[in-house]
Structures are given as structure tokens and as C-alpha cells.
């Protein structure tokens, strides 16, 4: 039974979409997207984490461009091996990688407005996932009916920018949820101070990390467009990062009336 | 970002603006919703479209982070968007304070240095190592030029990375976010590529797309040209400027004669300039600029940089040093007249230093106490445009630690560049006592 390393876990209603790495030659890997037989997403509770090595039996899936990585899979079984973040990134660096916008999906990126996210024509995309080292990142938080959602602006190694990427990375979604919960507990408005925390303390941790790597994925085609998403953002956030918020909580935050 | 919100304070003007943005994001074939209809819950607009609407309104109004996060218990409707557009000025105390400062009439305001920072190449080489590397006789760099160590960029460092680090430090010091910067002015004699250094830094720093970015020249005098340009722009009504000077001398000069390239190191500096209308203790007020060019010494240094391994150098060291000292002395004289402060009353000098020996000669001739002049090149080598900038950072650090007393503290800033270009400015640090008496 083939073995893969789970590299990406993204939020996809009603559960999670995953991508794994399978060997592609001696020293390199390629991405595959194991999916349950009847849907795209694995339902909650989903007990796996990034870096988990799993066995899964694949069956051919009906492939629709540009999601050529899709595979139908029965259950996922742990092998017991787990890669740490650094080792996972070393492998991701041997899989699909681009240092610029043009190389991400093998076609041009389109945009509907000068500050909006990019999309591609599904028929032109060569793949639906690609890794990239990045120089810098800035977060923004938007409201939608299910709550606050994180978006990011990412500066690639070429100094080209990916604007307004929805962050669908499960770990970052959980991090935002923790942040929102902290605000609620302290009756603190999710204000510009919180954005300062994200865009100063958190981005500084990212910029200083040797594991500065992102994976950009494509959403399923809708009305002739596949929108870009931030599938994985390394380093992954940890609960410890929120501790640096404490002084700000005590001193600066604006209390709700 | 400069605010353009006042023209939307009237809801009757805000509604058409919002409707236009919503129409642009509606999928084809969908009917335009009623003003009170929730765009998301009705399924008319998805989250991507919603972000597009907010971003578009942010572009039009100049209100930063418009609608982020969306106020709880408020429908995501056309009317609510228009109301938010009208309310924008009063919703956040911090934003209101910022807007209030922005509303100061350009004629009633001045420009302060509110943040600064520098970054040096991470490889530090002792003078003996430099002499060996440049095939120079022992003592050429240490004894003759007076340089102890030279900072060289590591393999992963360049003008952008050092400029970025310096800019980040300056932004943090000023407490300014990248989205607040209105204009970026960069200078570098060694960045010889397009996009320009300013454009690359703009992207790397994730500055707002409405923030301008351009480069100015002047080689070693470039940082003062950049400060002068940025200050002039702020006095036309903009609020925040970022100035960056960054030089990686070691790469383009790799093929230059050893006695020339051995003097140069790699580094960057950055400054945040903010327009202000209130006098507060510790503020570092940027004064007027003086500049000039004396062509008599144009041939003392001619440099043709055409990339790594290809450089033409015409360098008359003694003539250049002599001319530079004369020009810097003239800068100091003009700054005395411009600022009304005698050099003996100046608290710190942040001056270009071709090398420590030349700097000491200047200090001797111009009657400047070395103790008031932060030395840079002795520890880093000549950093080109960043030399004077790093000296200014160090002088500002000293000033920050000592802004008490009865009178303003003053820093003179001066530099020379090939040409022979010369430029200068002065900075007045407002003391507690001066602020309370409303001294300008």
C-alpha cells in the first residue's frame, strides 16, 4: 500500500481537504490529494496532522484540470512515523516549487480588481498546488457569515506579491479562533491592536524563521475561475505565540462597552 | 495612506459609490439587490466578492482596512456599507487621532524624524584580512585609512534585504505600519537594476499600492537628497515617508583596484519622516536643506559601474579627500547660517566619512570635537550613502537619551558625493522645557 506524508490540511466545508507527498524519483516528491470516494473533504473528527506518514489505497479519480493531483482513497492508516516541520519543508522543497508568480501553476494569473486575489483559467493550469519560499507576509481579517476569516498578502522570492489570499490552512484557522476566543473572554474588541499583534509580532516570527515556506493551492473551478488559496503557511503557529499577546491584553486593548 | 474620506460623509453621496462597487462584484445575471438586503446571507456575493467590495471602497476612500473587521450584528448590505463609509472618521479613537494629525494644514506643520534604523553586512572582517584580500601592503587599511573592521554582506544579503531590515527597524521605532507610509524614497549607488530599489523595497515591505516609490541619486550624498525629497513631499500634504539608503559595495567593486575597494563596506539605513502640527518633547524636527555642486573636482572620482566584474575607476585619493573636507566645511558653514546655530553650539554631527583619517582631518580643520561625531567608517568601512545615515542614527540615539535641558539640541547632517556634490540639513530635538514654552 503506498505511503504518503501529509503536507497540507486545509479547511473545506464540511471538513478538511488534505494533500500528501509521495516519492517521485530518488530524492524528490510530488503532491497527491487523497479524497474520500463521495466528496472532496474528510469529515471531522480528522485525527491527522501535518507530517504524519500514512498508508492509503488509491483508486483513479475523475480528473478535472487543473486538479491533476486528485486521488480517491479509502481509509488513511498511520505508519507511526511523523516528520517534524523542518524535515517536512525539506521534502516540500523537492516537490512542486516556484519562486515567482508565473511558475506557480504554469499559466498566467488573472485578477478582477487591483487589490483582489488572483485566479486562473482552469483549462490552462498545469497543477493545483505549488510551494514557494517567501520574504514577507501581511495579514488581514475579514468577516463572513461563519465568523472572522484570515487573508494574507505574500511576497515571493521574486518580490512579486500575491494579494488577498484566503488562508485555509487548518492550523492558522485554529490560531485565529484562539485569538478570537481570547478577545471574547476579555470582552476585548478585535481591534487594530489585534491586527498589530498579527502584523508585527506574528509576522516577525515568520520572517525570522528558517522554515519560511508557503504552499499555494487552487480552489475548485467556479464560474470559470480557480481562485488561489494559502493552503499551508510555515512556520505553523503555536499556542505559545499567543502568550506574547498578554502584555498587550493588559495594557493597550480597547475594552468593549 | 492619505485620507480622502470627507467627500463621502454625506450618505446620499456614499450610496452611489457603494452601489458601483457592489455591481462590479455581482456575478453575471444576478439582479442588483435592495439596499437593505444582506449580500452574503442572500448568496448574491461570496466571501471573495465581499473582500473585493471592501478593497474597492478602501481604494476609493483611502480609509485603511475599511470594514475590517465588520461590526458585529450589522447586515452586510449596501446601506450598511454606505453608513460605515460615513461613520469612518469617528469609529476608532486611534484612527481619529491619526486623522486629526493628517488634517493639519501643510503650511502650519513641520516634519519630524520619528523612526530610524540601520543594518550592516553580517560578515565583519578585520583590517588585516581586508588588506590580504585586496592584495594591499599591511597597514594600508588600518594605519593609513584608520579602518579597524569592514562589514561585508553575506551571500543571502543584498541592498533589498539590508534595506528591508533597516526599514523594519525604523517602522518599529516610529510605531508606524507599512500601510501608513505615503511615499518611499530610496537611494543607492550600487543597485543598478530594474525594477528600481524603491520598487523592490515597496513590494518586500508590503507597502500600500497607493504609496509612491522612487529612487534619487547622489552616491554618498544620496541619503540627504532622499531626506530632502521626502520632506518636500510631506509638506505638500502627505503624512508619512520612508527613506532608505542601501549599498552593497563589495560586489560591484570586486574588480576595482584594491586600494579603492578595500575602503568600502556594505550597509543600509532607513528613516521614517512624519508631518506634525504639535510640539512634543523629544521630537526630532527636520530643518531646511542646503545643497550644491562644485564641478572643479569632478574628475577626482569617476566610477562606471556596469555589473559584477566590470567597473571603471578614476580615483585621485588625495585630491578627493581634500575637496571633500573643503566641501563639508562649507556645508557646516551654511548650516550655521540656515539654522542660526554656531558649530560650537551643535550637540552632534552626523557627517559623511570617506574614511576615519579623512574624517579626523575634517574635524581638525572644521573645529568639530570628535566626541560629538559618531564614527562609522572605522568599524564598517565606507558605506556610501548609508555612512552619513548610520552616523545620523547613532546621533539620534544619543539625542534620544538626552532631550532634557533648557534649549533645543541640534544635529548637523552633511555629506559629499562625486561631482563634487554636497548637501546638508539640521535636526532640532525639542526638549521638555522648550516644548512647554512653545518654542518652534
Amino acid at each position: 500500500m503506498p505511503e504518503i506524508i501529509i503536507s497540507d490540511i486545509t479547511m473545506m466545508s464540511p471538513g478538511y481537504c488534505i494533500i500528501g507527498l509521495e516519492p517521485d524519483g530518488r530524492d524528490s516528491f510530488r503532491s497527491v490529494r487523497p479524497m474520500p470516494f463521495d466528496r472532496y473533504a474528510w469529515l471531522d473528527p480528522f485525527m491527522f496532522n501535518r507530517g504524519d506518514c500514512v498508508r492509503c489505497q488509491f483508486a483513479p479519480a475523475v480528473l478535472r484540470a487543473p486538479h491533476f493531483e486528485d486521488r480517491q482513497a479509502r481509509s488513511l492508516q498511520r505508519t507511526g512515523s511523523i516528520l517534524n516541520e523542518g524535515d517536512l519543508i525539506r521534502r516540500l522543497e523537492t516537490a512542486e516549487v516556484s519562486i515567482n508568480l508565473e511558475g506557480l501553476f504554469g499559466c498566467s494569473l488573472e485578477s478582477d480588481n487591483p487589490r483582489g486575489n488572483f485566479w486562473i483559467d482552469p483549462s490552462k493550469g498545469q497543477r493545483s498546488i505549488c510551494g514557494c519560499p517567501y520574504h514577507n507576509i501581511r495579514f488581514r481579517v475579514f468577516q463572513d457569515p461563519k465568523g472572522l476569516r484570515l487573508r494574507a498578502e505574500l511576497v515571493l522570492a521574486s518580490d512579486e506579491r500575491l494579494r488577498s489570499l484566503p488562508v485555509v490552512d487548518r492550523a492558522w484557522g485554529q490560531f485565529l479562533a484562539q485569538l478570537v476566543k481570547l478577545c471574547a473572554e476579555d470582552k476585548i474588541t478585535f481591534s487594530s491592536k489585534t491586527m498589530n499583534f498579527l502584523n508585527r509580532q506574528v509576522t516577525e516570527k515568520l520572517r525570522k524563521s528558517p522554515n519560511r515556506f508557503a504552499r499555494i493551492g487552487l480552489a475548485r473551478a467556479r464560474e470559470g475561475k480557480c481562485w488561489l488559496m494559502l493552503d499551508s503557511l510555515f512556520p505553523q503557529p503555536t499556542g505559545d505565540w499567543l502568550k506574547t499577546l498578554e502584555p498587550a491584553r493588559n495594557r493597550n486593548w480597547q475594552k468593549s462597552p | 495612506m492619505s485620507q480622502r474620506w470627507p467627500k463621502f460623509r454625506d450618505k446620499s453621496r456614499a450610496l452611489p459609490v457603494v452601489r458601483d462597487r457592489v455591481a462590479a462584484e455581482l456575478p453575471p445575471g444576478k439582479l442588483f439587490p435592495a439596499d437593505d438586503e444582506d449580500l452574503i446571507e442572500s448568496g448574491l456575493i461570496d466571501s471573495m466578492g465581499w473582500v473585493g467590495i471592501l478593497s474597492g471602497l478602501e481604494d476609493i476612500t483611502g480609509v485603511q482596512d475599511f470594514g475590517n473587521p465588520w461590526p458585529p450584528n450589522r447586515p452586510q448590505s449596501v446601506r450598511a456599507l454606505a453608513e460605515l463609509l460615513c461613520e469612518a472618521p469617528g469609529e476608532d479613537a486611534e484612527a481619529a487621532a491619526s486623522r486629526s494629525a493628517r488634517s493639519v494644514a501643510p503650511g502650519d506643520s513641520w516634519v519630524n524624524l520619528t523612526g530610524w534604523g540601520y543594518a550592516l553586512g553580517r560578515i565583519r572582517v578585520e583590517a588585516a584580512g581586508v588588506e590580504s584580500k585586496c592584495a594591499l601592503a599591511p597597514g594600508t587599511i588600518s594605519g593609513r585609512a584608520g579602518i579597524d573592521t569592514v562589514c561585508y554582506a553575506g551571500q543571502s544579503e543584498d541592498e533589498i534585504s539590508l534595506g528591508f531590515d533597516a526599514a523594519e527597524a525604523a517602522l518599529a521605532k516610529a510605531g508606524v505600519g507599512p500601510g501608513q507610509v505615503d511615499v518611499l524614497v530610496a537611494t543607492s549607488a550600487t543597485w543598478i537594476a530594474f525594477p528600481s530599489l524603491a520598487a523592490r523595497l515597496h513590494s518586500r515591505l508590503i507597502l500600500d499600492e497607493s504609496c509612491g516609490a522612487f529612487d534619487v541619486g547622489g552616491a554618498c550624498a544620496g541619503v540627504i537628497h532622499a531626506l530632502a525629497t521626502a520632506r518636500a513631499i510631506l509638506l505638500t500634504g502627505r503624512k508619512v515617508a520612508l527613506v532608505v539608503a542601501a549599498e552593497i559595495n563589495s560586489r560591484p567593486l570586486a574588480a576595482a583596484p584594491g586600494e579603492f575597494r578595500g575602503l568600502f563596506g556594505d550597509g543600509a539605513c532607513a528613516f521614517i519622516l512624519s508631518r506634525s502640527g504639535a510640539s512634543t518633547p523629544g521630537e526630532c524636527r527636520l530643518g531646511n536643506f542646503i545643497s550644491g555642486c562644485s564641478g572643479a573636482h569632478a574628475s577626482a572620482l569617476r566610477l562606471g559601474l556596469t555589473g559584477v566584474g566590470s567597473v571603471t575607476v578614476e580615483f585621485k585619493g588625495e585630491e578627493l579627500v581634500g575637496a571633500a573636507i573643503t566641501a563639508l566645511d562649507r556645508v557646516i558653514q551654511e548650516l550655521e547660517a540656515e539654522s542660526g546655530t554656531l558649530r560650537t553650539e551643535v550637540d552632534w554631527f552626523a557627517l559623511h566619512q570617506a574614511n576615519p583619517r579623512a574624517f579626523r582631518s575634517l574635524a581638525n580643520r572644521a573645529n568639530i570635537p570628535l566626541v560629538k561625531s559618531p564614527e562609522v567608517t572605522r568599524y564598517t568601512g565606507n558605506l556610501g550613502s548609508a555612512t552619513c545615515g548610520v552616523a545620523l542614527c547613532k546621533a539620534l540615539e544619543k539625542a534620544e537619551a538626552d532631550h532634557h535641558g533648557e534649549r533645543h539640541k541640534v544635529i548637523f547632517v552633511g555629506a559629499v558625493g562625486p561631482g563634487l556634490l554636497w548637501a546638508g540639513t539640521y535636526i532640532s530635538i525639542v526638549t521638555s522645557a522648550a516644548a512647554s514654552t512653545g518654542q518652534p
Side-chain angles (χ1 to χ4, degrees), chain A residues 115 138 140-141 159 207, chain B residues 58 68 168 203-204 206:
Chain A
R115 299 178 64 126
R138 183 138 59 107
R140 299 185 74 180
V141 175
D159 279 326
R207 283 199 304 264
Chain B
E58 188 176 314
N68 280 308
E168 280 285 310
S203 195
R204 183 76 62 95
I206 317 188

Side-chain angles (χ1 to χ4, degrees), chain B residues 20-311:
Chain B
D20 276 357
R21 286 312 312 162
V22 172
E25 296 293 341
L26 271 183
K30 299 267 187 187
L31 290 176
F32 195 86
D35 287 347
D36 291 317
E37 192 169 353
D38 191 304
L39 301 168
I40 305 290
E41 281 188 359
S42 65
L44 279 171
I45 296 274
D46 60 11
S47 62
M48 201 71 74
W50 178 250
V51 172
I53 292 169
L54 295 184
S55 299
L57 289 172
E58 188 176 314
D59 267 350
I60 293 165
T61 61
V63 176
Q64 202 180 342
D65 285 333
F66 179 81
N68 280 308
W70 188 251
N73 308 320
R74 201 163 193 175
Q76 289 170 277
S77 66
V78 169
R79 192 177 305 284
L81 281 163
E83 283 166 0
L84 199 65
L85 209 53
C86 299
E87 292 166 11
E91 68 185 356
D92 177 315
E94 191 181 45
S98 164
R99 269 186 288 275
S100 161
R102 281 171 181 159
S103 68
V104 173
D108 298 335
S109 61
W110 51 84
V111 172
N112 292 329
L113 284 179
T114 54
W116 52 87
Y118 62 89
L120 303 172
R122 65 180 166 82
I123 301 171
R124 198 174 280 267
V125 178
E126 299 289 324
V130 177
E131 287 155 1
S132 163
K133 188 177 160 189
C134 296
L136 295 171
T140 312
I141 296 295
S142 56
R144 203 168 138 200
I147 293 173
D148 291 348
T149 52
V150 178
C151 293
Y152 292 118
Q155 207 172 6
S156 62
E157 292 176 322
D158 58 12
E159 288 91 341
I160 305 170
S161 66
L162 291 184
F164 175 86
D165 288 346
E168 280 285 310
L171 287 164
K173 170 87 183 152
V176 165
Q180 292 170 268
V181 179
D182 291 312
V183 64
L184 162 62
V185 187
T187 185
S188 174
T190 61
W191 180 266
I192 46 174
F194 291 99
S196 67
L197 179 60
R200 294 288 299 272
L201 279 169
H202 183 287
S203 195
R204 183 76 62 95
L205 288 159
I206 317 188
L207 302 184
D208 198 273
E209 289 195 7
S210 64
C211 166
F214 57 89
D215 291 35
V216 298
C220 299
V223 72
I224 298 183
H225 293 167
L227 287 168
T229 308
R231 178 179 178 267
I233 290 171
L234 294 191
L235 289 175
T236 65
R238 297 281 177 161
K239 174 71 179 145
V240 178
L242 168 62
V243 163
V244 180
E247 309 280 10
I248 302 291
N249 291 294
S250 55
R251 287 176 197 143
L253 293 182
E259 64 270 26
F260 184 70
R261 77 180 140 111
L263 300 171
F264 289 88
D266 304 329
C269 61
F271 300 93
I272 298 293
L273 284 66
S274 302
R275 191 158 52 79
S276 174
S279 194
T280 52
E283 75 175 22
C284 304
R285 205 172 293 173
L286 200 50
N288 290 336
F289 283 77
I290 52 108
S291 63
C293 177
S294 56
H297 301 285
S299 65
L301 176 59
R302 289 184 196 273
L303 206 60
L305 293 178
T306 51
V308 175
S310 178
V311 59

Side-chain angles (χ1 to χ4, degrees), chain B residues 329-406:
Chain B
D329 192 27
R330 179 174 177 176
V331 167
I332 292 166
Q333 278 177 36
E334 293 207 15
L335 288 176
E336 284 180 309
E338 191 67 40
S339 66
T341 307
L342 295 173
R343 67 186 72 191
T344 51
E345 298 166 338
V346 170
D347 298 273
W348 295 278
F349 294 86
L351 303 173
H352 179 65
Q353 305 157 29
N355 61 61
R357 185 179 71 107
F359 186 51
R360 283 175 207 137
S361 300
L362 166 70
N364 200 29
R365 171 169 167 174
N367 193 24
I368 298 170
L370 276 172
V371 71
K372 290 185 174 181
S373 312
E375 275 201 272
V376 175
T377 46
R378 182 174 163 193
Y379 308 107
T380 64
N382 185 339
L383 305 174
S385 63
T387 305
C388 168
V390 173
L392 178 55
C393 291
K394 289 174 179 285
L396 287 162
E397 282 166 14
K398 289 172 186 289
E400 193 178 38
D402 180 24
H403 64 261
H404 307 290
E406 292 300 312

